[in-house]
Amino acid sequence: MNFPPHPLRRRLVLASLGSALLLAAACSRTAKPTAQTLPKEATVLCLGDSLTFGLGAAAGSSYPQVLEQLTGHVVQNAGINGDTTAGALARLPGLLQGNAPGLVLVSIGGNDFLRNMPVEGTRSALKQIVQMASANTQTVLIAQPRPVLMALATGSLKDHELYAEVAAETGVPLFSDGWSYVLSRPELRSDQVHANTEGYRVFAERLAGWLREKKYIA
């Protein structure tokens, strides 16, 4: 003889199933995409500000130029001195159309922090940037440090938490502690907020190693 399930037991089972479904849905929203190794002919687009442009170093020493030497891929330097997340967002559609990159590296936001722009505006623009880029091609977000003078003086800069938050919200992979590592070391800086020639090389080497580890490049 079959008895109907106990009402309390049934409610517990349904509650467990509901929790599992909610957890699965949350995981699917934030799951990071699996990297696809770039074919040899694929280009890399570096979107950013003066740290991408290479301010403070000798000509030919920007991190995109060093990354090109290290990876063998053509790397487009789309860094503009003084640019903000809003400016980068406005430039991005044309850059995507004009370059058709296989990978976009997004490193922007430092000028927003230095100018004390509203964090929510920076968050919104940065989120739109990575969403637009990742809808077109593989995208990596590169964290920039929170500009704290005491941390700079003591060599203990930390990534601004905004980047981890945007990466979690969008599912875009995050390269962390790149600029914070370089800019915390006086021997790798040309001034308080820019790397020197060696600093850009160190950053590019660390980034290239991470991209290889994550299987973006061979």
Side-chain angles (χ1 to χ4, degrees), residues 53-124:
F53 177 83
L55 189 66
S61 300
S62 68
Y63 100 75
Q65 289 167 298
V66 178
L67 189 65
E68 182 171 280
Q69 298 166 10
L70 294 172
T71 66
H73 288 281
V74 173
V75 180
Q76 302 291 337
N77 188 337
I80 292 183
N81 294 333
D83 203 13
T84 63
T85 51
L89 177 60
R91 292 192 289 125
L92 184 56
L95 290 169
L96 291 172
Q97 184 176 9
N99 293 276
L103 174 65
V104 176
L105 304 176
V106 178
S107 174
I108 193 75
N111 289 309
D112 296 52
F113 307 144
L114 290 171
R115 298 172 191 176
N116 293 315
M117 293 181 173
V119 174
E120 285 309 311
T122 300
R123 181 196 307 276
S124 176

Side-chain angles (χ1 to χ4, degrees), residues 38 44-48 52 63-64 67 75-76 78 92 101-108 129-130 133 137-142 173 175 203 207-208 210-211 216:
L38 295 177
V44 178
L45 175 67
C46 299
L47 178 68
T52 299
Y63 100 75
L67 189 65
V75 180
Q76 302 291 337
L92 184 56
L103 174 65
V104 176
L105 304 176
V106 178
S107 174
I108 193 75
I129 287 169
V130 297
T137 189
Q138 297 190 99
T139 302
V140 170
L141 180 60
I142 297 174
F175 176 61
F203 177 85
L207 176 58
W210 184 88
L211 291 173
Y216 286 102

Side-chain angles (χ1 to χ4, degrees), residues 78-198:
I80 292 183
N81 294 333
D83 203 13
T84 63
T85 51
L89 177 60
R91 292 192 289 125
L92 184 56
L95 290 169
L96 291 172
Q97 184 176 9
N99 293 276
L103 174 65
V104 176
L105 304 176
V106 178
S107 174
I108 193 75
N111 289 309
D112 296 52
F113 307 144
L114 290 171
R115 298 172 191 176
N116 293 315
M117 293 181 173
V119 174
E120 285 309 311
T122 300
R123 181 196 307 276
S124 176
L126 189 61
K127 188 173 180 179
Q128 290 179 70
I129 287 169
V130 297
Q131 287 176 328
M132 183 187 302
S134 61
N136 286 269
T137 189
Q138 297 190 99
T139 302
V140 170
L141 180 60
I142 297 174
Q144 293 195 2
R146 177 184 285 277
V148 178
L149 288 178
M150 182 60 71
L152 181 66
T154 58
S156 57
L157 286 172
K158 300 296 182 184
D159 293 345
H160 198 293
E161 61 273 11
L162 181 65
Y163 295 93
E165 293 167 1
V166 170
E169 291 170 6
T170 61
V172 170
L174 177 68
F175 176 61
S176 57
D177 198 34
W179 292 123
S180 292
Y181 177 88
V182 169
L183 297 178
S184 288
R185 289 158 173 77
E187 69 275 14
L188 299 179
R189 297 196 310 256
S190 61
D191 58 34
Q192 289 187 327
V193 294
H194 297 104
N196 56 24
T197 297
E198 182 60 21

